[in-house]
Amino acid sequence: ERARTVPRSEPSGPRPGDGRYRIEHEIGRGGMGRVFLAEDQRLGRRVALKTRLGEGERAAARFQQEARATAQLEHPNIVPVYDLDHDEEGQTRFTMRLVEGRPLAEVLQSLARGEGTMARAFGPAELLLVFTKVCDAVAYAHSRGVLHRDLKPDNIMLGRYGEAFVMDWGLARVGDVDVGPGLGPDRIKSDSGEQITIVGSVVGTPGYMSPEQARGAREEVDARSDVFSLGAILYEILTYRRAFAGDHTAALIAATILAEVVPPTQVVPDRPIVAALEPACMRALAREPDDRFDSVRALRDAVAEALEGSREAARRRATAEERLETSRAHQLEHDRLGAQARDRRADAERRLAELPVTAVPEREALFDELGDVEALEARARAAFWEAYGRLISGVREDPSFQPAREALVELLLSRAGELRRNGDSSTAADLEAIARQHDRERAEARLDDPAHLTVESTPPGATVSVVRFVERGPLWEERAASGPELTPGAYAADLRLPDRPAVRATFRLAPGERRNLKVHLPEMGAVEEGFVYVPGGAYLVGGDRLAPEAGPRAEITLRGFAIATHLVTMKEYAAFLNALDDEEAARRAPRIGNTSYWTPANGRYEVPFTDPDGDEIGADWPVCMLSASDADAYARWRSAQTGRLVRLPTSDEWEVAAGGGDGRVFPWGDGFDPSLCRMLTSAPRAGPCPVGSYPRDRSPFGVLDAAGLVREHTSTEIDGQRVVRGGAWPAAPVQCRIGRRSLLGPDETYVTFGFRLAHDV
């Protein structure tokens, strides 16, 4: 029974009352009695007046014993008994302090429903303070030899001003004497309040009573039985759920005796205070009394100690939350400045690439613009590291605060992705490694979130095999892959159809991307012998900050084209010169300025030959010392000879054919070694060599010698100048990067400039 204000209900029969007490209305009813709101007219105060239900001497004795047991317990958290007497009809009654408030059960039910008003009034700290007060009351009762035996949220009243009271001592035991029912057929209360007759000595409320109470083992019931009930209450405070579930009383009793309690952290894994208090809660709920706390005081001390630790945890959590919140402002600043810098750099680099080298004032103005861009980029980097510092501080302050850890991983991986798009794979890998250190599972899930690939061929029906490019030192090696789910990274798909040439399509898959790759397979004969086909599609170009004049990273779309595997050789160019008249041939022969490096012998250009510097020039060496106009003239002659229109590749076509358009730095991967291409330190003496001598200088499409040997003219023109691509035999490593570009007048020559051909498909 609870002495509290409830909606008025009329009791059956006459209301009790006499000259001292003026009865107003019934406010509660239980198995042993009724409680009325009354006014003590002698003392002028409102009280809760309890009368018994049931007839007979046994019921009267139990009722008086309850009053006397409660009266012995003078404690701030136990409702005091004011008086025990008889009414005019001789019926026993006693009065208590009137408590106006609500039961803990009502509060927990509201919290379970997510009611915000209740959550603001009763947070975890407030509820645990209530729990410690309840423990104080029960510990005091135990010190007086009184066991409650029916502790539950319904029997804990919360006053309006922070008071907490343990109510309803009707089932208490004083020493070895039962106050309430205990022998013979007992009436116990179910969770719904229904009175259910249980045969035996079961005393308490199913779901909160201890296993020994549930078994009816009265001789085993002691202070640790109340500890168990308090553990069930603590469990409900922590989780807003009951420790034991059952559709009916028998099921609840069986669960109490047999079921394993689900740890609170598995019910609510996101509350630090739950983790702190779980050990105490689970120990209190141990099935065997010997495994529980020896006393309620020990339970209370364990909760208080954990609560103190949780206060420190709460302070750390608040600090971590503040770090997370302030980091977001720095992240936004980084994103804003980074976007501005990207747009301005792309514009400045585009305009710079279009200016001739001789436009010095205009180029210097753009240098100033790029200086401003670099200042913006520096501010963006500072904002990134400020956000990183805030988040790492939050993680260190509270390692269990997942939002800060997740934000840190996302920040690092986002920056790593940005760096990879800009060609800085090394720094990106460092940031990814840091992300893995903080949350390996999340980082790898983010980095390795499977991409989904489907491939459609035109004509349909092609067989498809997929390879993934995997780093091995400086090289990207091919390894077989199978789908449709693929790890993010760079790939190639090889398609084959009968009566069609095999086609390779390259692509890069981002984490979680869904890619439908459409590939056209040309007819037999559509691709010139000695050429490789590059299918139409989307490709990455630019973005290599270390490559001179590389331009910004961009995704472009190309139509399918074919490009020569090899550079045009001296032997092939000799056939062209020999087809020209002497004057035209002399004008188109390799030269530097007015000095010709190839003169005819007996009216014909023959190879091998010795040039003016005394070098032996081989037939399979790449032709060089030519202008873009010379290359165009050769392409026109070759087209007339074969009947197929050939041309120089565009700058974008060359870059995609040379690197696969998948973001790599060199044709073979991202690392460099002088043994991989013909460049300055590849041989004891710098100079050209036969084409194809460096098989590792090979693109995914099969294009050879793009990183070294000679630089290559393209058909792309900017302000009257031609774009030149590739590395060369006297080049340093940075000049061998496929992103490198430069401009040269169409009629200008240079010692290392040659070309290769392309044609439309």
Side-chain angles (χ1 to χ4, degrees), residues 558-571:
L558 294 178
R559 298 184 64 180
F561 67 97
I563 189 167
T565 303
H566 293 292
L567 294 154
V568 174
T569 64
M570 296 295 294
K571 180 179 179 180

Side-chain angles (χ1 to χ4, degrees), residues 1 150 670 674:
E1 296 86 16
D150 196 22
D670 283 346

Side-chain angles (χ1 to χ4, degrees), residues 605-646:
Y605 291 86
E606 301 288 350
V607 283
F609 69 92
T610 302
D611 70 9
D613 294 331
D615 294 322
E616 185 76 15
I617 307 300
D620 292 333
W621 285 22
V623 67
C624 56
M625 305 183 197
L626 299 176
S627 68
S629 297
D630 297 331
D632 289 337
Y634 177 87
R636 290 192 296 270
W637 171 81
R638 170 72 181 270
S639 299
Q641 293 294 308
T642 63
R644 185 189 296 276
L645 184 63
V646 293

Side-chain angles (χ1 to χ4, degrees), residues 534 561 563 651-662 664-669 697-707 712 725-726 737-739 756:
V534 178
F561 67 97
I563 189 167
S651 177
D652 285 341
E653 286 175 340
W654 185 93
E655 184 170 340
V656 169
D662 56 15
R664 66 182 68 198
V665 175
F666 300 99
W668 54 80
D697 189 357
R698 178 189 182 92
S699 81
F701 294 112
V703 173
L704 294 167
D705 300 319
E712 302 180 41
R725 305 301 304 257
R737 302 167 81 94
I738 56 178
R756 76 178 74 223

Side-chain angles (χ1 to χ4, degrees), residues 302-538:
V303 170
E305 182 179 347
L307 189 56
E308 182 60 33
S310 73
R311 289 193 184 100
E312 173 62 14
R315 184 198 66 76
R316 289 180 171 274
R317 173 58 54 87
T319 302
E321 288 174 343
E322 182 272 334
R323 299 286 192 272
L324 173 61
E325 189 60 33
T326 55
S327 77
R328 291 186 176 124
H330 294 293
Q331 290 180 57
L332 290 173
E333 181 74 354
H334 165 263
D335 294 343
R336 183 182 66 83
L337 293 173
Q340 288 182 14
R342 282 192 299 274
D343 291 344
R344 290 178 61 179
R345 176 175 286 280
D347 179 65
E349 289 182 344
R350 177 187 58 78
R351 288 186 287 153
L352 188 64
E354 294 172 353
L355 282 174
V357 177
T358 54
V360 176
E362 293 85 350
R363 293 179 74 87
E364 288 187 351
L366 287 174
F367 295 159
D368 292 338
E369 171 69 12
L370 287 172
D372 293 340
V373 169
E374 289 170 357
L376 267 180
E377 291 170 339
R379 289 171 58 195
R381 286 194 299 272
F384 164 80
W385 288 114
E386 188 66 34
Y388 172 81
R390 294 281 177 170
L391 289 173
I392 198 70
S393 172
V395 168
R396 288 170 178 166
E397 190 72 25
D398 185 357
S400 67
F401 186 43
Q402 278 301 113
R405 191 176 295 276
E406 291 169 3
L408 176 61
V409 170
E410 289 300 316
L411 176 73
L412 289 165
L413 296 184
S414 177
R415 177 63 176 160
E418 182 182 333
L419 291 169
R420 284 195 183 279
R421 288 190 294 274
N422 290 333
D424 190 355
S425 298
S426 177
T427 306
D430 290 341
L431 294 183
E432 289 165 357
I434 296 173
R436 286 188 175 94
Q437 288 177 353
H438 288 288
D439 192 335
R440 176 170 294 277
E441 183 177 351
R442 184 177 187 84
E444 291 186 349
R446 173 87 150 67
L447 291 169
D448 299 333
D449 184 16
H452 295 259
L453 175 69
T454 56
V455 181
E456 294 182 27
S457 66
T458 305
T463 60
V464 180
S465 59
V466 177
V467 295
R468 184 186 180 196
F469 295 106
V470 179
E471 290 189 26
R472 184 179 70 86
L475 306 174
W476 284 13
E477 290 192 336
E478 297 182 7
R479 295 185 185 173
S482 59
E485 289 192 353
L486 297 171
T487 302
Y491 288 86
D494 295 311
L495 291 82
R496 291 175 174 80
L497 266 177
D499 302 323
R500 297 267 174 165
V503 172
R504 164 164 283 197
T506 58
F507 53 95
R508 177 176 284 277
L509 293 175
E513 180 182 1
R514 292 184 175 273
R515 173 75 67 89
N516 182 24
L517 186 67
K518 297 182 178 181
V519 184
H520 171 71
L521 283 74
E523 297 178 352
M524 285 293 185
V527 177
E528 180 79 5
E529 186 177 353
F531 285 59
V532 292
Y533 176 60
V534 178

